[in-house]
Amino acid sequence: MDCITVIPGDGIGPEVVECALQVLGALGIGLSVDVLDHVCAERYRREGLALSEADLGRISASSAVLLGAIGRPDLEETDYVRGVLLRLRHSFDLYTNYRPVRLWHDRLSPLRDPASRILDCVIVRENTEGLYSGIGGNLRTSSPHEVAIDADVNTWHGVSRILDFAFSTARREVCLVDKANAVRAGGRLWQECWRRAAERHPATATRHLYIDAAAMKFVSEPGRFDVIVASNSYGDILSDLAAELAGGIGLAPSANLNPETGFGLFEPVHGSAPDIAGKGIANPFACLLTTGLLIRHLGYENEAAAIDAAVAGVIAAGRVTPDLGGSLSTREVTRAVLAVL
């Protein structure tokens, strides 16, 4: 029996995770669940501890992690979020951030031209290097002569493996997005690794766009994209743009994967949303779709497809939370999904 670790986290995290666990229970696939509800901002505030060695041991014993949300405004200047998210990504070498983007209903898109609303793609983001590697620092802090440096770290190994993963997921095309014309050192490495990866996958079409051009094309021709592969920071920006074009981050699932070990951390990308936490209006769809990604990763394809179909049906019927133009509560939307299942 597969076991998954569940970290409800902060803000709306526990609310949407509760919905996901109800859906998992309704599917009847018999997953064992280990809930780490003590991994949260409150413990960090009390003890200064984000993720303990014991927590990591429990997570290591599972097949995957479902994370609700991490973060709280009063802890923004601390290492709390990095101590959970980045520690998990680096401890398990979750070098692939996998962000599928799908427009579930035409009315959800902010694009005014119906012909341009076709959107069904995947953004593959390098997850352990780049500008988010944490290498850098400040000199002469809080003075007029302060210097701040963040290093953009790219390695041949890291770039090559994320490119190969992108090719492995493509249906028709992989598009590399970078800024090699301006960021020359890292750009040269990405371009050379890209050339070699394309040679290893000759059956897949390729395309290359600079990040500024890619952002424009995403708005004007979103349907042209199949798989996009990009560095940590560029992938982060593009995936949020894509999510907004598909109706908002309340519909955006994600997975952090190590394709070699098979381990994954699955999280909706909406964050803890402290402004609506406790109000009962959080959109559960991102967490439900993320749960679908998780069980599909574990081999439960039919059950994952059932979640997707149920979400699509409920959205089509207009049974949604206020962020999508509806009036239902988090629990009412979940009950609607359960009714379809």
Side-chain angles (χ1 to χ4, degrees):
M1 176 188 297
D2 284 307
C3 174
I4 64 170
T5 301
V6 175
I7 303 176
D10 309 310
I12 65 171
E15 301 173 45
V16 296
V17 163
E18 177 187 352
C19 303
L21 292 180
Q22 289 180 34
V23 168
L24 269 180
L27 292 172
I29 55 181
L31 288 177
S32 172
V33 176
D34 181 20
V35 180
L36 274 60
D37 51 10
H38 59 275
V39 178
C40 62
E42 191 57 37
R43 180 175 77 164
Y44 185 85
R45 193 181 63 80
R46 289 194 318 266
E47 306 173 18
L49 183 62
L51 200 64
S52 70
E53 291 300 321
D55 297 331
L56 280 176
R58 288 170 65 175
I59 292 168
S60 298
S62 68
S63 302
V65 179
L66 176 63
L67 173 66
I70 287 291
R72 204 166 72 179
D74 60 328
L75 297 176
E76 280 186 2
E77 301 303 317
T78 71
D79 288 330
Y80 169 55
V81 172
R82 295 180 68 90
V84 179
L85 280 179
L86 295 192
R87 189 175 183 193
L88 287 172
R89 288 175 185 172
H90 288 282
S91 295
F92 295 96
D93 197 18
L94 305 176
Y95 67 85
T96 296
N97 184 255
Y98 180 85
R99 290 277 296 268
V101 184
R102 174 179 168 186
L103 179 59
W104 294 91
H105 196 281
D106 281 355
R107 75 170 187 275
L108 301 178
S109 176
L111 298 176
R112 65 174 180 260
D113 180 7
S116 69
R117 292 178 187 167
I118 300 169
L119 182 55
D120 185 6
C121 69
V122 171
I123 298 174
V124 173
R125 164 187 163 197
E126 201 291 316
N127 213 26
T128 57
E129 298 184 349
L131 279 172
Y132 299 172
S133 61
I135 296 176
N138 296 71
L139 178 67
R140 306 186 191 97
T141 56
S142 302
S143 80
H145 303 289
E146 181 169 355
V147 177
I149 297 175
D150 292 290
D152 185 6
V153 178
N154 302 278
T155 68
W156 187 280
H157 171 68
V159 173
S160 294
R161 67 181 182 174
I162 197 65
L163 292 175
D164 281 332
F165 178 83
F167 276 99
S168 75
T169 64
R171 293 166 296 186
R172 61 180 188 273
E173 180 192 78
V174 177
C175 177
L176 170 66
V177 171
D178 66 8
K179 193 62 176 172
N181 58 336
V183 186
R184 294 189 174 181
R188 190 209 65 79
L189 190 152
W190 273 85
Q191 285 292 318
E192 180 60 20
C193 291
W194 171 244
R195 183 183 66 79
R196 298 194 182 202
E199 290 174 353
R200 291 193 295 273
H201 304 275
T204 304
T206 60
R207 185 162 49 126
H208 169 250
L209 290 171
Y210 294 131
I211 179 64
D212 43 359
M216 292 188 292
K217 290 293 185 184
F218 232 132
V219 175
S220 63
E221 301 177 90
R224 282 205 59 194
F225 292 100
D226 178 24
V227 172
I228 294 171
V229 61
S231 66
N232 213 329
S233 54
Y234 296 153
D236 190 7
I237 294 166
L238 278 182
S239 54
D240 282 351
L241 170 61
E244 188 64 22
L245 294 179
I249 57 174
L251 290 164
S254 79
N256 304 273
L257 307 170
N258 183 309
E260 284 72 45
T261 66
F263 193 80
L265 165 67
F266 297 78
E267 56 171 329
V269 302
H270 49 55
S272 59
D275 56 324
I276 61 169
K279 295 182 179 180
I281 58 172
N283 185 342
F285 288 141
C287 197
L288 298 185
L289 293 170
T290 295
T291 302
L293 281 183
L294 188 156
I295 62 174
R296 180 175 280 113
H297 181 70
L298 296 180
Y300 299 97
E301 174 61 41
N302 291 338
E303 290 82 0
I307 291 178
D308 290 350
V311 168
V314 170
I315 290 174
R319 299 181 60 77
V320 295
T321 44
D323 61 305
L324 298 183
S327 59
L328 297 190
S329 69
T330 308
R331 291 182 176 178
E332 288 170 332
V333 170
T334 305
R335 284 197 291 269
V337 171
L338 290 169
V340 175
L341 284 174

